[in-house]
C-alpha cells in the first residue's frame, strides 16, 4: 500500500474490538434510557418510541458517514480519543436537555417527542457512532485482510449493541435510576477516552485536566436536573401529592398525569368523575351491598377495588397490574394490603388474564389507560373475547377510555365492543352548549343482558347512560383487532 508507513499504527485487535463494543453499546443504552427519560413528558406512545428509534438511527448514520470522512483526513488515533471524550460529555448533557425541554413539550403533540430526541440524543449517538469507522480505518493496513478486519469489528460493535440493549432493559432500568445510569455511561466513556489518550501519549496532562473538569461540571449539571419522580419503576415515573384540603387524601401521579385519588380514611370516597360513573353503573346494575367477584385491569392507587370491598362486604377483587414497582410503592405509601379478598397479579393483563378462571367474575373493570398511554392490546376483539370468557352470564365490563373530538378511537372501540357484546352503553359528560359528546373520560359499559335505561349519577352534571350515541359512533368506526389496532393514531390528546 502506497504511503502505508505514514499511517498510524493499528491498535491491538482486542483493544480495537473493545472500543467499538463500548461505543456501540453506549448508543443502544442511551436509546432505551431515552424512553424512560421522555415518558414523564410525552408518554409511552408508539410515536414516542418511533421518534427515539428514528433519532438514534439518524445519529448512527450521521456518525458513520462523518466518522469515516474524518478518519481519512485526520490523525485517526487522536480522532478516536476525541470522539470518546466528546461522546461522553454529550451523553452527560442528555438528562439536562430532556428535563429542561420536557415540561414545555406536554400537550404539544408528537413533534415534541421528535424535537426533544433530536436535540438530546442525536449528537451523542452521532459522535459515538463515528468511533467504529475511525477504528476500522486505523486497523486497515492490509487490504488483503480488510474483509476479516471490518467483519470482526462489525461483529464486536453488534455484540456491544446487543449487550447494551438487553443489559439496559433487564438489568439497568430495574436497578438504577435513569439519570444515574446516563451519568455513569457518560463518565465511563470519558474515562475510556482519557485512558486511551494517556496510554498512547496523545492526550497531554493539560488535556486530561480539562476533560476531568468539564466532566465534573457536566456531571453536576446532570445531577442538578431534578427528576420529577419520587420513584422510578420499569414502567412509570411516580409522584405522590398530598391533598392540601384533606389530611388523608393523596393524588397518585404517573408520568406527570394524575392517575388516582385515594382517601386513606374513607375508601368509599371517589374524587374522579369516571370512578363515580363506574360505581354508579355497578350500583345501578347489581342490588346494593350484594357481594361481587371482580377483576380490575390496572391498579393505580387501587381506588375502585378499595371502594368495592368497603361498600359490598364479602366481595373479592383481583387486580391485574403490569407494574410491580408501583404496587410496592402503593403498599408503602398508600396503605395497600393485599389479602385473599384483594389479590394482586403482576404482569401484562393479556397474559395474566389467561390465569383467571372462566365464568368467575360479576364485574371486569378496564382502567389501564392514562392521558398519554393506551395499551392497544387491551382494546381489541381478541381481548374482549378474554373478558367475555372471564365474565359470568349477566356480568358487566366497564372500560374507562380517554379521547377527544373527533373521537376516532372511541368510534373504533364502540364498534369493537358492539361486536363482542349485545348491549353497550356509554357514560360521559355532554357539551353544555351543544348537547353533543364533549370527550375526555368516556366509560363504556357492556353486558350480555339488558342494561338499565339510566342510573342515578353522583357526578356533577348528571352523567347518564347513552345508548344511541354508542351505535352512532360505532357506525363510523372500524373494529380493532390484534393485527390492526392503530390506537395511538386514532386517539386525540
Amino acid at each position: 500500500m502506497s504511503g502505508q508507513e505514514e499511517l498510524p499504527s493499528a491498535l491491538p485487535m482486542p483493544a480495537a474490538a473493545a472500543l467499538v463494543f463500548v461505543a456501540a453499546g453506549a448508543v443502544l443504552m442511551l436509546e432505551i434510557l431515552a424512553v424512560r427519560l421522555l415518558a414523564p413528558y410525552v408518554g409511552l406512545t408508539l410515536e414516542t418510541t418511533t421518534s427515539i428509534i428514528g433519532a438514534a438511527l439518524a445519529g448512527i448514520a450521521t456518525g458513520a458517514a462523518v466518522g469515516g470522512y474524518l478518519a481519512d483526513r485526520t490523525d485517526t488515533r487522536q480522532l478516536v480519543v476525541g470522539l470518546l471524550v466528546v461522546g461522553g460529555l454529550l451523553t452527560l448533557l442528555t438528562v439536562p436537555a430532556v428535563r429542561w425541554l420536557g415540561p414545555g413539550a406536554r400537550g404539544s403533540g408528537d413533534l415534541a417527542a421528535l424535537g426533544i430526541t433530536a436535540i438530546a440524543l442525536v449528537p451523542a449517538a452521532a459522535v459515538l457512532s463515528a468511533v467504529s469507522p475511525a477504528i476500522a480505518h486505523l486497523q486497515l493496513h492490509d487490504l488483503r485482510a480488510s474483509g476479516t478486519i471490518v467483519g470482526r469489528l462489525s461483529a464486536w460493535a453488534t455484540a456491544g449493541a446487543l449487550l447494551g440493549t438487553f443489559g439496559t432493559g433487564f438489568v439497568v432500568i430495574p436497578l438504577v435510576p435513569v439519570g444515574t445510569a446516563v451519568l455513569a455511561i457518560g463518565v465511563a466513556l470519558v474515562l475510556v477516552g482519557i485512558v486511551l489518550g494517556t496510554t498512547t501519549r496523545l492526550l497531554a496532562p493539560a488535556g486530561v485536566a480539562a476533560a476531568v473538569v468539564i466532566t465534573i461540571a457536566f456531571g453536576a449539571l446532570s445531577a442538578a436536573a431534578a427528576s420529577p419522580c419520587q420513584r422510578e419503576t420499569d414502567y412509570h415515573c411516580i409522584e405522590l401529592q398530598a391533598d392540601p384540603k384533606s389530611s388523608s387524601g393523596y393524588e397518585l401521579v404517573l408520568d406527570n398525569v394524575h392517575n388516582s385519588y385515594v382517601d386513606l380514611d374513607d375508601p368509599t370516597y371517589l374524587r374522579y368523575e369516571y370512578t363515580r360513573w363506574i360505581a354508579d353503573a355497578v350500583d345501578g346494575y347489581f342490588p346494593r351491598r350484594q357481594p361481587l367477584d371482580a377483576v380490575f385491569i390496572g391498579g393505580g392507587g387501587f381506588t375502585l377495588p378499595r371502594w368495592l370491598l368497603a361498600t359490598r362486604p364479602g366481595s373479592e377483587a383481583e387486580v391485574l397490574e403490569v407494574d410491580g414497582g408501583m404496587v410496592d410503592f402503593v403498599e408503602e405509601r398508600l396503605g395497600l394490603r393485599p389479602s385473599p379478598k384483594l389479590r394482586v397479579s403482576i404482569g401484562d393483563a393479556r397474559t395474566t388474564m389467561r390465569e383467571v378462571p372462566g365464568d368467575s367474575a360479576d364485574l371486569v373493570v378496564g382502567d389501564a389507560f392514562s392521558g398519554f398511554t393506551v395499551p392497544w392490546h387491551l382494546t381489541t376483539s381478541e381481548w374482549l373475547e378474554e373478558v367475555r370468557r372471564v365474565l359470568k352470564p349477566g356480568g358487566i365490563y366497564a372500560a374507562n377510555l380517554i379521547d377527544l373530538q373527533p373521537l376516532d378511537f372511541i368510534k373504533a372501540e364502540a364498534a369493537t365492543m358492539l361486536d363482542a357484546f349485545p348491549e353497550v352503553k356509554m357514560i360521559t359528560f355532554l357539551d353544555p352548549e351543544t348537547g353533543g359528546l364533549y370527550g375526555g373520560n368516556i366509560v363504556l359499559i357492556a353486558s350480555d343482558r339488558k342494561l338499565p335505561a339510566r342510573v342515578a349519577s353522583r357526578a356533577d352534571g348528571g352523567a347518564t347512560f347513552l345508548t344511541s350515541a354508542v351505535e352512532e359512533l360505532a357506525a363510523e368506526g372500524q373494529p380493532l383487532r390484534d393485527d390492526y389496532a392503530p390506537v395511538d393514531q386514532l386517539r386525540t390528546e
Side-chain angles (χ1 to χ4, degrees), residues 194 203-216:
I194 289 175
L203 197 58
V208 173
V212 170
V213 170
I214 297 173
T215 301
I216 293 173

Side-chain angles (χ1 to χ4, degrees), residues 101-309:
L101 295 172
R106 296 190 185 109
S108 301
D110 302 331
L111 288 177
L114 184 59
I116 295 175
T117 51
I119 294 170
L121 185 59
V122 170
V127 171
L128 292 172
S129 297
V131 171
S132 287
I135 292 290
H137 178 273
L138 190 64
Q139 300 302 104
L140 283 173
H141 287 189
D142 185 352
L143 290 180
R144 293 171 297 179
S146 60
T148 301
I149 293 171
V150 172
R152 189 176 299 171
L153 291 173
S154 178
W156 277 106
T158 303
L162 286 171
L163 183 62
T165 299
F166 290 115
T168 304
F170 289 107
V171 179
V172 176
I173 289 178
L175 296 179
V176 182
V178 173
T180 303
V182 175
L183 181 65
I185 294 169
V187 171
L189 288 168
V190 173
L191 288 177
V192 171
I194 289 175
V195 169
L196 179 62
T198 54
T199 54
T200 55
R201 300 181 180 178
L202 294 173
L203 197 58
V208 173
V212 170
V213 170
I214 297 173
T215 301
I216 293 173
F218 282 14
L221 195 65
S222 179
S227 170
C229 317
Q230 294 176 5
R231 177 80 57 85
E232 290 182 13
T233 70
D234 293 356
Y235 296 92
H236 293 108
C237 166
I238 303 177
E239 295 177 81
L240 189 64
Q241 299 177 356
D243 184 349
K245 298 181 180 179
S246 171
S247 60
S248 58
Y250 294 89
E251 294 265 9
L252 183 69
V253 181
L254 304 180
D255 295 332
N256 273 306
V257 175
H258 289 263
N259 177 273
S260 307
Y261 183 93
V262 177
D263 190 320
L264 298 180
D265 292 340
D266 184 7
T268 67
Y269 177 67
L270 302 176
R271 166 70 65 87
Y272 295 160
E273 287 93 347
Y274 85 87
T275 59
R276 297 199 293 270
W277 296 342
I278 294 174
D280 293 338
V282 172
D283 287 343
Y285 189 79
F286 297 103
R288 294 289 181 121
R289 300 188 69 80
Q290 173 187 326
L292 299 177
D293 295 319
V295 176
F296 292 87
I297 313 302
F302 287 68
T303 303
L304 281 170
R306 299 189 215 215
W307 166 84
L308 180 72
L309 298 182

Side-chain angles (χ1 to χ4, degrees), residues 89-112:
L89 295 176
L90 288 172
T91 297
L92 294 175
L93 291 178
T94 56
V95 172
V98 171
R99 288 180 177 164
W100 290 343
L101 295 172
R106 296 190 185 109
S108 301
D110 302 331
L111 288 177

Side-chain angles (χ1 to χ4, degrees), residues 62-74:
T62 302
V66 175
Y69 178 86
L70 293 176
D72 288 339
R73 290 161 175 80
T74 62

